[in-house]
Coordinates of all heavy atoms in Angstrom, one line a residue:
Q17 N 16.2 -9.2 27.9 CA 16.9 -10.3 28.6 C 17.9 -11.0 27.6 O 19.0 -11.4 28.0 CB 15.9 -11.4 29.0 CG 15.0 -10.9 30.2 CD 15.9 -10.7 31.4 OE1 16.3 -9.6 31.7 NE2 16.2 -11.7 32.2
T18 N 17.5 -11.0 26.3 CA 18.4 -11.6 25.3 C 19.6 -10.8 25.2 O 20.7 -11.4 25.2 CB 17.6 -11.6 23.9 OG1 16.5 -12.5 24.1 CG2 18.5 -12.2 22.8
I19 N 19.5 -9.5 25.1 CA 20.7 -8.6 25.0 C 21.5 -8.7 26.3 O 22.7 -8.8 26.2 CB 20.2 -7.2 24.7 CG1 19.6 -7.1 23.3 CG2 21.4 -6.2 24.8 CD1 18.9 -5.8 23.0
A20 N 20.9 -8.7 27.5 CA 21.6 -8.7 28.7 C 22.4 -10.0 28.9 O 23.5 -10.0 29.5 CB 20.6 -8.6 29.9
H21 N 21.9 -11.1 28.3 CA 22.6 -12.4 28.4 C 23.5 -12.7 27.2 O 23.9 -13.8 27.0 CB 21.6 -13.5 28.7 CG 21.0 -13.5 30.0 ND1 19.8 -12.9 30.3 CD2 21.5 -13.9 31.2 CE1 19.5 -12.9 31.6 NE2 20.5 -13.6 32.2
K22 N 23.6 -11.7 26.3 CA 24.5 -11.7 25.2 C 24.2 -12.9 24.2 O 25.1 -13.6 23.8 CB 26.0 -11.8 25.6 CG 26.4 -10.5 26.3 CD 27.9 -10.6 26.8 CE 28.4 -9.4 27.4 NZ 27.7 -8.5 28.0
K23 N 22.9 -13.1 24.0 CA 22.4 -14.1 23.1 C 22.2 -13.5 21.7 O 22.1 -12.3 21.6 CB 21.1 -14.8 23.6 CG 21.3 -15.4 24.9 CD 20.0 -16.0 25.4 CE 20.2 -16.6 26.8 NZ 19.3 -17.6 27.1
G24 N 22.1 -14.3 20.7 CA 21.8 -13.8 19.4 C 20.3 -13.3 19.3 O 19.5 -13.8 20.1
L25 N 20.1 -12.3 18.5 CA 18.8 -11.7 18.4 C 18.5 -11.4 16.9 O 19.4 -10.8 16.3 CB 18.7 -10.5 19.3 CG 17.4 -9.6 19.2 CD1 16.2 -10.4 19.7 CD2 17.6 -8.3 20.0
L26 N 17.3 -11.7 16.5 CA 16.9 -11.3 15.1 C 15.4 -11.2 15.1 O 14.7 -11.7 16.0 CB 17.4 -12.3 14.1 CG 16.7 -13.7 14.1 CD1 16.0 -13.9 12.7 CD2 17.7 -14.7 14.3
G27 N 14.9 -10.4 14.2 CA 13.5 -10.3 14.0 C 13.1 -10.7 12.6 O 13.8 -10.6 11.6
I28 N 11.8 -11.2 12.5 CA 11.3 -11.6 11.2 C 9.9 -11.1 11.1 O 9.0 -11.4 12.0 CB 11.3 -13.2 11.0 CG1 12.6 -13.8 11.2 CG2 10.6 -13.5 9.7 CD1 12.7 -15.3 11.2
H29 N 9.6 -10.2 10.2 CA 8.2 -9.8 9.9 C 7.4 -10.9 9.4 O 7.8 -11.6 8.5 CB 8.2 -8.6 8.9 CG 8.7 -7.3 9.5 ND1 7.9 -6.5 10.3 CD2 9.9 -6.7 9.5 CE1 8.6 -5.4 10.7 NE2 9.8 -5.6 10.2
I30 N 6.2 -11.1 10.0 CA 5.4 -12.2 9.6 C 4.0 -11.8 9.0 O 3.1 -12.6 8.9 CB 5.2 -13.2 10.8 CG1 4.5 -12.5 12.0 CG2 6.5 -13.9 11.2 CD1 4.1 -13.5 13.1
H31 N 3.9 -10.5 8.7 CA 2.6 -10.0 8.2 C 2.2 -10.6 6.9 O 1.0 -10.6 6.6 CB 2.7 -8.5 8.1 CG 3.6 -8.0 7.1 ND1 5.0 -8.0 7.3 CD2 3.5 -7.5 5.8 CE1 5.6 -7.5 6.3 NE2 4.7 -7.2 5.3
N32 N 3.1 -11.1 6.1 CA 2.7 -11.7 4.8 C 2.4 -13.2 4.9 O 2.1 -13.9 3.9 CB 3.8 -11.5 3.8 CG 3.8 -10.1 3.2 OD1 2.7 -9.5 3.0 ND2 5.0 -9.5 3.0
I33 N 2.5 -13.8 6.1 CA 2.1 -15.2 6.3 C 0.6 -15.2 6.4 O 0.0 -14.4 7.1 CB 2.7 -15.8 7.6 CG1 4.3 -15.7 7.6 CG2 2.2 -17.2 7.9 CD1 4.9 -16.6 6.6
K34 N -0.1 -16.2 5.8 CA -1.5 -16.3 5.9 C -2.0 -16.5 7.3 O -1.4 -17.1 8.1 CB -2.0 -17.4 5.0 CG -1.8 -17.2 3.5 CD -2.3 -18.3 2.7 CE -2.0 -18.1 1.2 NZ -2.3 -19.2 0.4
D35 N -3.2 -15.8 7.6 CA -3.8 -15.9 8.9 C -5.3 -15.9 8.7 O -5.8 -14.9 8.2 CB -3.3 -14.7 9.7 CG -3.8 -14.7 11.1 OD1 -4.7 -15.5 11.5 OD2 -3.3 -13.9 11.9
T36 N -6.0 -16.9 9.2 CA -7.4 -16.9 9.1 C -8.1 -16.0 10.0 O -9.2 -15.5 9.8 CB -8.0 -18.3 9.3 OG1 -7.6 -18.7 10.6 CG2 -7.5 -19.3 8.3
N37 N -7.4 -15.6 11.1 CA -8.0 -14.7 12.1 C -7.9 -13.2 11.6 O -8.7 -12.4 12.0 CB -7.3 -14.8 13.5 CG -7.6 -16.2 14.1 OD1 -8.6 -16.8 13.9 ND2 -6.6 -16.7 14.8
N38 N -6.9 -12.9 10.9 CA -6.6 -11.6 10.5 C -6.1 -11.6 9.0 O -4.9 -11.5 8.8 CB -5.7 -10.9 11.4 CG -5.5 -9.4 11.1 OD1 -6.2 -8.9 10.2 ND2 -4.6 -8.8 11.8
P39 N -6.9 -11.8 8.0 CA -6.5 -11.9 6.7 C -5.8 -10.7 6.0 O -5.2 -10.8 5.0 CB -7.7 -12.3 5.9 CG -8.8 -11.8 6.7 CD -8.4 -11.8 8.1
S40 N -6.0 -9.5 6.6 CA -5.4 -8.3 6.0 C -4.1 -8.1 6.7 O -4.0 -7.7 7.8 CB -6.3 -7.1 6.3 OG -7.6 -7.3 5.7
P41 N -3.0 -8.3 5.9 CA -1.7 -8.1 6.5 C -1.3 -6.7 6.7 O -1.5 -5.8 5.8 CB -0.7 -8.7 5.4 CG -1.5 -8.6 4.2 CD -2.9 -8.7 4.5
I42 N -0.9 -6.4 7.9 CA -0.4 -5.0 8.3 C 1.0 -5.2 8.9 O 1.1 -5.9 9.9 CB -1.4 -4.3 9.3 CG1 -2.8 -4.1 8.7 CG2 -0.8 -3.0 9.7 CD1 -3.8 -3.6 9.7
K43 N 1.9 -4.6 8.2 CA 3.3 -4.7 8.7 C 3.5 -3.9 10.0 O 3.1 -2.7 10.0 CB 4.3 -4.2 7.7 CG 5.7 -4.4 8.1 CD 6.6 -3.9 6.9 CE 8.1 -4.0 7.4 NZ 9.0 -3.5 6.3
G44 N 3.9 -4.5 11.0 CA 4.1 -3.9 12.3 C 5.5 -3.2 12.4 O 6.4 -3.6 11.7
Q45 N 5.6 -2.3 13.4 CA 6.9 -1.7 13.7 C 7.8 -2.7 14.4 O 7.3 -3.5 15.2 CB 6.6 -0.5 14.6 CG 7.8 0.2 15.0 CD 7.5 1.4 16.0 OE1 6.3 1.9 15.9 NE2 8.4 1.8 16.8
S46 N 9.1 -2.7 14.1 CA 10.0 -3.6 14.7 C 10.4 -3.2 16.1 O 10.8 -2.0 16.3 CB 11.3 -3.8 13.8 OG 12.2 -4.6 14.5
P47 N 10.4 -4.1 17.1 CA 10.8 -3.7 18.4 C 12.3 -4.0 18.6 O 12.9 -3.7 19.7 CB 10.0 -4.7 19.3 CG 9.8 -5.9 18.5 CD 9.7 -5.4 17.0
I48 N 13.0 -4.5 17.6 CA 14.4 -4.9 17.6 C 15.2 -3.6 17.6 O 15.1 -2.8 16.7 CB 14.8 -5.8 16.5 CG1 13.8 -7.0 16.4 CG2 16.2 -6.2 16.6 CD1 14.0 -8.0 17.5

């Protein structure tokens, strides 16, 4: 929808942000 409406798009990996639910950071594949 973002691309179809010609809006800006960016991705930010957040695996290195602390998380009490999932303390082991695993870098995910980018969908961008």
Side-chain angles (χ1 to χ4, degrees):
Q17 290 298 96
T18 298
I19 294 168
H21 290 95
K22 298 180 177 20
K23 298 178 185 208
L25 176 65
L26 71 122
I28 303 173
H29 285 280
I30 60 172
H31 63 286
N32 283 324
I33 301 288
K34 291 180 182 174
D35 184 344
T36 59
N37 296 328
N38 186 6
S40 300
I42 298 172
K43 183 178 176 182
Q45 178 182 336
S46 173
I48 306 289

